[in-house]
Coordinates of all heavy atoms in Angstrom, one line a residue:
Chain B
H71 N 32.8 13.0 14.6 CA 33.7 13.4 13.5 C 35.0 12.6 13.6 O 35.6 12.3 12.6 CB 34.0 14.9 13.6 CG 32.8 15.7 13.2 ND1 32.5 15.9 11.9 CD2 31.8 16.3 13.9 CE1 31.4 16.6 11.8 NE2 31.0 16.9 13.0
G72 N 35.4 12.2 14.8 CA 36.7 11.5 14.9 C 36.6 10.1 14.5 O 37.7 9.4 14.5
S73 N 35.5 9.6 14.1 CA 35.4 8.2 13.8 C 36.0 7.8 12.5 O 36.0 6.6 12.1 CB 33.9 7.7 13.9 OG 33.2 8.3 12.9
Y74 N 36.4 8.8 11.7 CA 36.9 8.5 10.4 C 38.4 8.7 10.4 O 38.9 9.6 11.0 CB 36.3 9.3 9.3 CG 34.9 8.9 9.0 CD1 33.8 9.5 9.6 CD2 34.7 7.9 8.1 CE1 32.6 9.2 9.3 CE2 33.4 7.5 7.8 CZ 32.4 8.1 8.4 OH 31.1 7.7 8.1
D75 N 39.1 7.9 9.6 CA 40.5 8.1 9.4 C 40.7 9.3 8.5 O 40.0 9.4 7.4 CB 41.1 6.9 8.8 CG 42.6 7.0 8.5 OD1 43.1 8.0 9.0 OD2 43.2 6.1 7.9
A76 N 41.5 10.3 8.8 CA 41.6 11.5 8.0 C 42.1 11.2 6.6 O 41.8 12.0 5.7 CB 42.6 12.5 8.7
S77 N 42.9 10.1 6.4 CA 43.4 9.8 5.1 C 42.3 9.1 4.2 O 42.5 9.0 3.0 CB 44.6 8.9 5.2 OG 44.2 7.7 5.8
D78 N 41.3 8.7 4.9 CA 40.2 8.0 4.1 C 39.4 9.0 3.3 O 38.7 9.9 3.9 CB 39.3 7.3 5.1 CG 38.2 6.5 4.4 OD1 38.2 6.5 3.2 OD2 37.5 5.8 5.1
D79 N 39.4 8.9 2.0 CA 38.7 9.9 1.2 C 37.2 9.8 1.4 O 36.6 10.9 1.5 CB 39.0 9.5 -0.3 CG 40.2 10.2 -0.8 OD1 40.8 10.9 0.0 OD2 40.5 10.0 -2.0
R80 N 36.7 8.6 1.6 CA 35.3 8.5 1.8 C 34.8 9.2 3.1 O 33.8 9.8 3.1 CB 34.9 7.1 1.7 CG 33.6 6.8 1.0 CD 33.3 5.4 0.7 NE 32.2 4.9 1.5 CZ 32.3 4.3 2.7 NH1 33.5 4.2 3.3 NH2 31.3 3.9 3.3
G81 N 35.7 9.0 4.1 CA 35.4 9.7 5.3 C 35.3 11.2 5.2 O 34.4 11.8 5.7
A82 N 36.3 11.7 4.5 CA 36.3 13.2 4.3 C 35.1 13.7 3.6 O 34.5 14.7 3.9 CB 37.6 13.5 3.6
E83 N 34.7 12.9 2.6 CA 33.6 13.2 1.8 C 32.3 13.3 2.7 O 31.5 14.2 2.6 CB 33.4 12.2 0.7 CG 32.6 12.6 -0.5 CD 32.6 11.5 -1.5 OE1 33.7 11.1 -2.0 OE2 31.5 11.0 -1.8
L84 N 32.2 12.2 3.5 CA 31.0 12.2 4.3 C 31.0 13.3 5.3 O 29.9 13.9 5.6 CB 31.0 10.8 5.1 CG 30.4 9.6 4.3 CD1 30.6 8.4 5.0 CD2 28.9 9.9 4.0
R85 N 32.2 13.6 5.9 CA 32.2 14.7 6.8 C 31.8 16.0 6.2 O 31.0 16.8 6.7 CB 33.6 14.9 7.4 CG 33.9 14.0 8.6 CD 35.0 14.6 9.4 NE 36.3 14.7 8.6 CZ 37.1 13.7 8.3 NH1 36.8 12.5 8.8 NH2 38.2 13.9 7.6
E86 N 32.2 16.2 4.9 CA 31.9 17.4 4.2 C 30.3 17.4 4.0 O 29.7 18.4 4.2 CB 32.6 17.4 2.9 CG 32.2 18.5 1.9 CD 32.5 19.9 2.4 OE1 33.2 20.0 3.4 OE2 32.0 20.8 1.8
L87 N 29.8 16.3 3.6 CA 28.4 16.2 3.4 C 27.6 16.6 4.7 O 26.7 17.4 4.6 CB 28.0 14.7 3.1 CG 28.1 14.3 1.6 CD1 27.7 12.8 1.5 CD2 27.3 15.2 0.7
E88 N 28.1 16.0 5.8 CA 27.4 16.3 7.0 C 27.5 17.8 7.4 O 26.5 18.3 7.8 CB 28.0 15.4 8.1 CG 27.1 15.4 9.3 CD 27.8 14.7 10.5 OE1 29.0 14.6 10.5 OE2 27.1 14.2 11.4
R89 N 28.7 18.3 7.1 CA 28.8 19.7 7.5 C 27.8 20.6 6.7 O 27.1 21.5 7.2 CB 30.2 20.2 7.2 CG 30.6 21.6 7.7 CD 31.9 22.1 7.2 NE 31.9 22.2 5.7 CZ 31.4 23.1 5.0 NH1 30.7 24.1 5.6 NH2 31.4 23.2 3.7
R90 N 27.7 20.2 5.4 CA 26.8 21.0 4.6 C 25.3 20.8 4.9 O 24.5 21.7 4.9 CB 27.0 20.7 3.1 CG 28.3 21.3 2.6 CD 28.7 20.8 1.3 NE 27.7 21.0 0.3 CZ 27.8 20.6 -1.0 NH1 29.0 20.1 -1.4 NH2 26.9 20.8 -1.8
V91 N 25.0 19.6 5.3 CA 23.6 19.3 5.8 C 23.3 20.2 7.0 O 22.3 20.9 7.0 CB 23.4 17.9 6.1 CG1 22.1 17.7 6.8 CG2 23.5 17.0 4.9
E92 N 24.2 20.2 7.9 CA 24.0 21.0 9.1 C 23.9 22.5 8.8 O 23.0 23.2 9.4 CB 25.2 20.8 10.1 CG 25.2 19.4 10.7 CD 24.0 19.1 11.5 OE1 23.4 20.0 12.1 OE2 23.5 18.0 11.4
Q93 N 24.7 22.9 7.9 CA 24.8 24.3 7.5 C 23.5 24.8 6.9 O 23.0 25.9 7.1 CB 25.9 24.5 6.6 CG 26.4 26.0 6.5 CD 27.5 26.0 5.5 OE1 28.2 25.0 5.2 NE2 27.7 27.2 4.9
H94 N 22.9 23.9 6.1 CA 21.7 24.4 5.3 C 20.4 23.9 5.8 O 19.4 24.0 5.2 CB 21.9 23.9 3.9 CG 22.9 24.8 3.2 ND1 22.6 26.0 2.6 CD2 24.2 24.6 3.1 CE1 23.7 26.5 2.1 NE2 24.7 25.7 2.4
R95 N 20.4 23.5 7.0 CA 19.1 23.0 7.6 C 18.4 24.3 8.1 O 19.0 25.2 8.7 CB 19.4 22.1 8.8 CG 18.2 21.6 9.5 CD 18.6 20.4 10.3 NE 18.9 19.2 9.5 CZ 19.6 18.2 10.0 NH1 20.2 18.3 11.1 NH2 19.8 17.2 9.2
T96 N 17.1 24.3 8.0 CA 16.3 25.4 8.5 C 16.5 25.4 10.0 O 16.4 24.4 10.7 CB 14.8 25.1 8.3 OG1 14.6 24.7 6.9 CG2 14.0 26.4 8.6
P97 N 16.9 26.5 10.6 CA 17.1 26.5 12.0 C 15.8 26.3 12.8 O 14.9 27.1 12.7 CB 17.6 28.0 12.3 CG 17.3 28.7 11.1 CD 17.1 27.8 9.9
V98 N 15.7 25.2 13.4 CA 14.5 24.8 14.1 C 14.8 24.7 15.6 O 15.7 23.9 16.0 CB 14.0 23.4 13.6 CG1 12.8 23.0 14.3 CG2 13.8 23.4 12.1
F99 N 14.1 25.4 16.3 CA 14.3 25.4 17.8 C 13.4 24.2 18.3 O 12.3 24.0 17.9 CB 13.8 26.7 18.4 CG 14.1 26.7 19.9 CD1 15.3 27.0 20.4 CD2 13.0 26.3 20.8 CE1 15.5 27.0 21.8 CE2 13.3 26.3 22.1 CZ 14.5 26.7 22.6
P100 N 13.9 23.4 19.2 CA 15.2 23.4 19.8 C 16.1 22.3 19.3 O 17.1 21.9 19.9 CB 14.9 23.1 21.3 CG 13.7 22.2 21.2 CD 13.0 22.6 20.0
I101 N 15.7 21.8 18.1 CA 16.4 20.5 17.6 C 17.8 20.8 17.3 O 18.7 20.0 17.6 CB 15.6 19.9 16.4 CG1 14.2 19.6 16.8 CG2 16.3 18.7 15.9 CD1 13.2 20.7 16.7
D102 N 18.1 21.9 16.6 CA 19.5 22.2 16.3 C 20.4 22.3 17.5 O 21.5 22.0 17.5 CB 19.6 23.4 15.4 CG 19.5 23.1 14.0 OD1 19.0 21.9 13.7 OD2 19.8 23.8 13.1
L103 N 19.7 22.8 18.6 CA 20.5 23.0 19.8 C 20.5 21.8 20.7 O 21.1 21.8 21.8 CB 20.0 24.2 20.5 CG 20.0 25.5 19.6 CD1 19.3 26.6 20.4 CD2 21.4 26.0 19.4
R104 N 19.7 20.8 20.3 CA 19.4 19.8 21.3 C 20.6 19.1 21.8 O 20.6 18.6 22.9 CB 18.3 18.9 20.8 CG 18.8 18.0 19.7 CD 17.6 17.4 19.0 NE 18.0 16.6 17.9 CZ 17.8 15.4 17.7 NH1 17.1 14.7 18.5 NH2 18.2 14.8 16.6
K105 N 21.6 18.9 21.0 CA 22.8 18.3 21.4 C 23.5 19.0 22.6 O 24.2 18.5 23.4 CB 23.8 18.1 20.3 CG 23.3 17.2 19.2 CD 24.1 15.9 19.3 CE 23.4 14.7 18.7 NZ 22.6 14.9 17.5
R106 N 23.3 20.3 22.6 CA 24.0 21.1 23.6 C 23.1 21.5 24.8 O 23.5 22.0 25.7 CB 24.5 22.5 22.9 CG 25.8 22.3 22.3 CD 25.9 23.4 21.2 NE 25.6 22.8 19.9 CZ 25.3 23.5 18.8 NH1 25.3 24.8 18.9 NH2 25.1 22.9 17.7
L107 N 21.8 21.2 24.6 CA 20.8 21.6 25.6 C 20.5 20.5 26.6 O 20.3 19.4 26.3 CB 19.5 22.1 25.0 CG 19.4 23.5 24.4 CD1 18.1 23.7 23.8 CD2 19.6 24.5 25.5
P108 N 20.5 20.9 27.9 CA 20.0 19.9 28.9 C 18.6 19.6 28.7 O 18.1 18.6 29.2 CB 20.3 20.6 30.2 CG 20.3 22.0 29.9 CD 20.8 22.2 28.5
L109 N 17.9 20.4 27.9 CA 16.4 20.3 27.7 C 16.1 19.1 26.8 O 14.9 18.8 26.6 CB 15.8 21.6 27.2 CG 15.6 22.6 28.2 CD1 15.1 23.9 27.5 CD2 14.6 22.2 29.2
E110 N 17.1 18.6 26.2 CA 16.8 17.6 25.1 C 16.0 16.4 25.7 O 15.0 16.0 25.1 CB 18.1 17.0 24.5 CG 17.8 16.3 23.2 CD 18.6 15.1 23.1 OE1 19.7 15.0 23.7 OE2 18.1 14.2 22.4
A111 N 16.4 16.0 26.9 CA 15.6 14.9 27.5 C 14.2 15.3 27.7 O 13.3 14.5 27.5 CB 16.3 14.4 28.8
V112 N 14.0 16.5 28.2 CA 12.7 17.0 28.4 C 11.9 17.0 27.2 O 10.7 16.6 27.1 CB 12.7 18.5 29.0 CG1 11.4 19.0 29.3 CG2 13.6 18.4 30.3
W113 N 12.5 17.5 26.1 CA 11.8 17.6 24.8 C 11.4 16.2 24.3 O 10.3 16.0 23.8 CB 12.7 18.3 23.8 CG 12.1 18.5 22.5 CD1 11.2 19.4 22.1 CD2 12.4 17.7 21.3 NE1 10.9 19.3 20.8 CE2 11.6 18.2 20.3 CE3 13.2 16.6 21.1 CZ2 11.6 17.7 19.0 CZ3 13.2 16.0 19.8 CH2 12.4 16.6 18.8
R114 N 12.3 15.3 24.4 CA 12.0 13.9 24.0 C 10.8 13.4 24.8 O 10.0 12.7 24.2 CB 13.3 13.1 24.4 CG 13.9 12.4 23.2 CD 15.2 11.8 23.7 NE 16.2 12.1 22.8 CZ 16.3 11.5 21.6 NH1 15.5 10.5 21.3 NH2 17.3 11.8 20.8
R115 N 10.9 13.6 26.1 CA 9.8 13.1 27.0 C 8.5 13.7 26.6 O 7.5 13.1 26.5 CB 10.1 13.4 28.4 CG 9.2 12.8 29.4 CD 9.7 11.4 29.8 NE 8.6 10.7 30.5 CZ 7.8 9.8 30.0 NH1 8.0 9.4 28.8 NH2 6.8 9.3 30.8
W116 N 8.6 15.0 26.3 CA 7.3 15.7 25.9 C 6.7 15.1 24.6 O 5.6 14.9 24.5 CB 7.7 17.2 25.6 CG 6.6 17.9 24.9 CD1 6.6 18.4 23.6 CD2 5.2 18.1 25.3 NE1 5.4 18.9 23.2 CE2 4.5 18.7 24.3 CE3 4.5 17.8 26.5 CZ2 3.2 19.1 24.3 CZ3 3.2 18.2 26.6 CH2 2.6 18.8 25.5
R117 N 7.6 14.8 23.6 CA 7.1 14.2 22.4 C 6.4 12.8 22.7 O 5.4 12.5 22.1 CB 8.3 13.9 21.4 CG 8.7 15.2 20.7 CD 9.7 14.8 19.7 NE 9.1 14.1 18.5 CZ 9.7 13.3 17.7 NH1 11.0 13.1 17.9 NH2 9.1 12.8 16.7
E118 N 7.0 12.1 23.6 CA 6.4 10.8 24.0 C 5.0 11.0 24.6 O 4.1 10.3 24.3 CB 7.3 10.0 25.0 CG 8.4 9.2 24.3 CD 9.4 8.8 25.3 OE1 9.0 8.5 26.4 OE2 10.6 8.7 24.9
I119 N 5.0 12.0 25.5 CA 3.7 12.2 26.2 C 2.7 12.7 25.1 O 1.5 12.3 25.1 CB 3.9 13.3 27.3 CG1 4.8 12.8 28.4 CG2 2.5 13.7 27.8 CD1 5.2 13.8 29.3
A120 N 3.1 13.6 24.2 CA 2.2 14.1 23.3 C 1.7 13.1 22.3 O 0.5 13.2 21.8 CB 2.9 15.3 22.5
M121 N 2.5 12.1 22.0 CA 2.0 11.0 21.1 C 1.2 10.0 21.8 O 0.8 9.0 21.2 CB 3.2 10.4 20.4 CG 3.9 11.2 19.4 SD 2.8 11.8 18.1 CE 2.4 10.2 17.2
W122 N 1.0 10.1 23.1 CA 0.2 9.1 23.8 C -1.2 9.0 23.3 O -1.8 10.0 23.1 CB 0.2 9.4 25.3 CG -0.6 8.4 26.1 CD1 -0.2 7.2 26.5 CD2 -2.0 8.5 26.5 NE1 -1.2 6.5 27.1 CE2 -2.3 7.3 27.1 CE3 -2.9 9.5 26.3 CZ2 -3.6 7.1 27.6 CZ3 -4.2 9.3 26.8 CH2 -4.5 8.1 27.5

Side-chain angles (χ1 to χ4, degrees):
Chain B
H71 287 280
S73 64
Y74 285 98
D75 183 6
S77 62
D78 183 0
D79 271 359
R80 220 168 111 266
E83 201 179 299
L84 278 172
R85 273 201 303 281
E86 171 65 11
L87 277 180
E88 195 186 22
R89 190 189 61 76
R90 285 169 55 178
V91 171
E92 288 304 322
Q93 197 180 336
H94 286 275
R95 179 167 287 158
T96 314
V98 178
F99 183 85
I101 299 89
D102 269 17
L103 301 172
R104 66 195 175 124
K105 290 255 157 33
R106 274 154 264 163
L107 276 178
L109 280 177
E110 197 222 333
V112 178
W113 181 79
R114 240 171 225 284
R115 188 84 193 105
W116 164 248
R117 282 187 71 203
E118 276 167 32
I119 294 169
M121 285 305 290
W122 177 81

